[in-house]
């Protein structure tokens, strides 16, 4: 069987960053497509259907937030934002409009590759999970049909909202989920600003699921942004 290389679309207008990304991705065995404007990036994404998209927010013809929205109109492929904007509100906005992850410039090759691997694994698992009622991640297991949760082989009893929160995190393992996304999914749109709900429930989930709640292996906090269920290596 012929191996088809993973295609990554890079939407970035800075020549030095383009060169760095192309060299890093090519040496790792990925095939790259390059765009320097939002319009060009949207066109390439539409015609080539890349496996993953790296997107800079500061493009010459469009704001990256608008490009993300445009991509999400026709593509479910992972989007990793790469930007010099490091403010929490920028990260939250990018994730809320559809990005899967956010890397602040400058960043190293190792971190970039790790984020790409996680995003691709999540995309692959999402396809499998569309027909698979049991989700597994390391020592955690959740049976969506039976509403049954296991941690290290032992059944764990969760409240309805704890279960909904964990199920949503498991379905999006590896993806950073904002406070607003989680609150709307579990409690509804009217609770989108009630971040204290999440803090309380995440503490409860960690005590029930983590072997060391003070140093969580799975339920990771993204400061000022939200939470992520870390994919087990």
């Amino acid at each position: 069987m012929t191996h088809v290389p993973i295609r990554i679309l890079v939407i970035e207008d800075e020549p030095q960053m383009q060169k760095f990304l192309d060299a890093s991705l090519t040496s790792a065995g990925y095939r790259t497509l390059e765009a320097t404007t939002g319009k060009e990036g949207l066109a390439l994404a539409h015609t080539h259907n890349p496996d993953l998209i790296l997107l800079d927010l500061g493009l010459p013809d469009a704001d990256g937030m608008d490009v993300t929205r445009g991509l999400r109109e026709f593509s479910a492929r992972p989007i990793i934002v790469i930007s010099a904007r490091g403010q929490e509100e920028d990260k939250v906005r990018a994730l809320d409009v559809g990005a899967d992850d956010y890397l602040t410039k400058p960043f190293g090759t190792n971190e970039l590759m790790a984020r790409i691997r996680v995003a691709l694994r999540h995309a692959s698992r999402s396809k499998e999970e569309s027909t698979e009622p049991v989700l597994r991640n390391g020592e955690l297991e959740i049976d969506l049909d039976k509403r049954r949760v296991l941690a290290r082989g032992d059944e764990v009893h969760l409240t309805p909202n704890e279960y909904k929160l964990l199920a949503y995190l498991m379905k999006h393992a590896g993806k950073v989920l904002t406070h607003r996304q989680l609150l709307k999914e579990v409690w509804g749109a009217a609770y989108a600003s009630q971040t204290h709900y999440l803090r309380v429930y995440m503490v409860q989930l960690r005590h029930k699921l983590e072997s060391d709640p003070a140093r969580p292996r799975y339920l990771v906090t993204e400061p000022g942004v939200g939470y992520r269920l870390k994919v087990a290596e």
Side-chain angles (χ1 to χ4, degrees):
M1 181 183 292
T2 302
H3 174 68
V4 179
I6 292 172
R7 294 178 299 177
I8 296 180
L9 171 60
V10 179
I11 309 175
E12 166 67 66
D13 67 315
E14 186 182 339
Q16 286 299 108
M17 180 57 71
Q18 270 276 18
K19 185 176 180 180
F20 162 73
L21 292 171
D22 182 64
S24 300
L25 295 169
T26 301
S27 65
Y30 298 115
R31 177 184 169 191
T32 62
L33 301 166
E34 298 179 1
T36 57
T37 66
K39 183 178 180 180
E40 184 183 7
L42 286 167
L44 284 175
H46 199 275
T47 57
H48 289 79
N49 192 26
D51 298 286
L52 183 141
I53 300 163
L54 295 178
L55 171 65
D56 181 30
L57 292 184
L59 298 169
D61 66 329
D63 187 278
M65 304 291 184
D66 294 329
V67 177
T68 301
R69 292 189 189 94
L71 289 167
R72 282 290 172 251
E73 290 179 2
F74 62 87
S75 176
R77 299 297 196 182
I79 299 172
I80 299 178
V81 167
I82 50 174
S83 177
R85 304 181 197 174
Q87 298 298 315
E88 289 176 359
E89 54 265 34
D90 291 318
K91 296 180 181 180
V92 171
R93 281 187 62 212
L95 294 165
D96 275 341
V97 299
D100 294 86
D101 203 351
Y102 194 113
L103 264 175
T104 303
K105 298 177 182 176
F107 50 82
T109 302
N110 290 340
E111 182 178 11
L112 172 65
M113 294 305 158
R115 300 291 186 98
I116 288 173
R117 288 193 298 271
V118 168
L120 291 172
R121 279 203 302 271
H122 171 245
S124 177
R125 288 184 181 183
S126 293
K127 290 180 182 178
E128 296 172 0
E129 289 162 7
S130 61
T131 57
E132 176 57 62
V134 179
L135 310 182
R136 296 181 180 87
N137 185 35
E139 298 172 331
L140 300 182
E141 179 179 312
I142 182 168
D143 187 319
L144 299 175
D145 285 344
K146 298 178 181 178
R147 297 179 68 86
R148 184 167 178 256
V149 176
L150 299 177
R152 296 174 296 283
D154 296 325
E155 186 167 359
V156 179
H157 296 284
L158 302 181
T159 67
N161 280 343
E162 287 173 348
Y163 176 84
K164 287 173 67 176
L165 180 57
L166 177 64
Y168 194 66
L169 286 162
M170 286 281 281
K171 289 176 183 176
H172 298 86
K175 180 176 179 177
V176 179
L177 299 170
T178 66
H179 297 125
R180 180 178 295 273
Q181 288 172 325
L182 291 167
L183 287 161
K184 287 176 68 176
E185 177 66 24
V186 178
W187 286 275
Y191 294 84
S193 62
Q194 305 299 316
T195 56
H196 62 282
Y197 276 56
L198 277 178
R199 286 195 295 272
V200 171
Y201 275 79
M202 289 302 291
V203 168
Q204 293 172 183
L205 279 178
R206 283 173 176 151
H207 278 282
K208 291 184 177 183
L209 301 174
E210 299 277 7
S211 56
D212 184 355
R215 297 178 178 82
R217 176 182 175 188
Y218 300 105
L219 301 168
V220 178
T221 300
E222 297 289 341
V225 179
Y227 296 94
R228 172 170 53 94
L229 193 138
K230 190 174 181 180
V231 175
E233 294 293 339

